Amino acid sequence: MIQIHSFTFNPFQENTYLLSDETKKCVIIDPGCYSTEEKKELSDYISSHGLEPVKLLLTHAHIDHVLGNNYLCGKYKLEIEMNVIEKDLLKSASVYGQMWGIVVEPSPEPTVFLEEGDQVRFGNSMLEIIFTPGHSPGSICFYNTGEKFAIAGDVLFYGSIGRTDLPGGDYDTLISSIHEKVFPLGDEFKIYPGHGPATTIAHEKKFNPFVGVNA
């Protein structure tokens, strides 16, 4: 059984997820840890629970989701795994950091590129991938059918959706991704978003003003 632990990091209040199972192997998704204290909080949790990080995964490469890349790749000897379309966004993170007054450590180059239909394995567990562009051009979601959850990045939020006014964003594409890729996972699926509280597909279908049945 996969255990999911979330951390809320950096000035953007981004959700970083750590997934582990009974083998103590774990994956880190969207490492937003920015300050020394945040990096310590994440590494202390890993050490105190006897976990072994084996993968560093990105739903997308916006600045708030990659601030911990350099730290974690160095500390745990991890490779960055993401969709290839996000490479330019990852390279430009430091430029966006200047706009926000944030010093961004250069991220290592990604070396593993993930596509829809790929499987990410750790310990006794597995995540599958769907391609969900719109918020960013190469956004992907990680999901597990048996345990009915998805780590959705900034695609779908509790009562909202990811913004589409950033470079590479497109509103119609995002709406299509949600309706054609995320919603078909099933009403019972729990959605862990990049910001804010978790939700379910059933709740968003019923109440989300952007993509719900009354949208």
Side-chain angles (χ1 to χ4, degrees):
M1 176 128 184
I2 297 174
Q3 303 295 319
I4 302 173
H5 187 82
S6 65
F7 305 82
T8 301
F9 288 144
N10 69 55
F12 301 96
Q13 294 293 282
E14 179 266 355
N15 292 332
T16 293
Y17 293 100
L18 188 152
L19 280 58
S20 61
D21 69 8
E22 62 277 2
T23 69
K24 298 295 185 177
K25 307 286 188 184
C26 70
V27 299
I28 301 164
I29 303 179
D30 291 353
C33 47
Y34 175 59
S35 67
T36 300
E37 292 76 17
E38 289 174 347
K39 293 171 183 175
K40 185 176 186 299
E41 180 184 351
L42 179 55
S43 58
D44 281 355
Y45 181 90
I46 291 169
S47 61
S48 66
H49 287 77
L51 302 177
E52 179 188 351
V54 294
K55 290 184 179 290
L56 179 57
L57 310 174
L58 302 183
T59 62
H60 65 295
H62 281 153
I63 178 175
D64 49 331
H65 293 253
V66 305
L67 289 168
N69 278 5
N70 188 59
Y71 170 72
L72 293 172
C73 287
K75 184 173 180 64
Y76 299 111
K77 308 302 184 227
L78 301 175
E79 297 180 280
I80 295 172
E81 304 187 25
M82 54 182 267
N83 186 271
V84 66
I85 298 173
E86 297 287 293
K87 282 185 69 176
D88 288 342
L89 272 179
L90 184 60
K91 290 179 180 178
S92 63
S94 59
V95 176
Y96 289 110
Q98 293 172 10
M99 296 169 56
W100 293 95
I102 295 175
V103 177
V104 182
E105 296 178 346
S107 172
E109 288 283 331
T111 54
V112 180
F113 297 109
L114 303 172
E115 304 285 349
E116 179 166 287
D118 286 349
Q119 297 178 345
V120 175
R121 297 182 179 276
F122 65 101
N124 295 327
S125 302
M126 184 263 289
L127 301 173
E128 295 182 85
I129 295 167
I130 47 175
F131 182 57
T132 52
H135 171 68
S136 73
S139 289
I140 56 176
C141 297
F142 300 93
Y143 71 97
N144 183 284
T145 301
E147 300 187 35
K148 299 188 185 305
F149 72 82
I151 310 296
D154 289 358
V155 173
L156 181 65
F157 299 136
Y158 178 86
S160 189
I161 59 174
R163 60 189 296 180
T164 56
D165 58 340
L166 299 172
D170 183 83
Y171 180 84
D172 291 338
T173 300
L174 179 59
I175 297 300
S176 294
S177 289
I178 294 170
H179 281 292
E180 297 174 12
K181 298 293 183 67
V182 179
F183 280 178
L185 292 175
D187 287 359
E188 65 275 25
F189 260 68
K190 190 168 185 177
I191 300 296
Y192 292 92
H195 303 269
T199 185
T200 64
I201 290 178
H203 180 90
E204 299 314 309
K205 278 186 175 180
K206 187 173 184 179
F207 297 111
N208 193 305
F210 297 94
V211 290
V213 293
N214 297 316

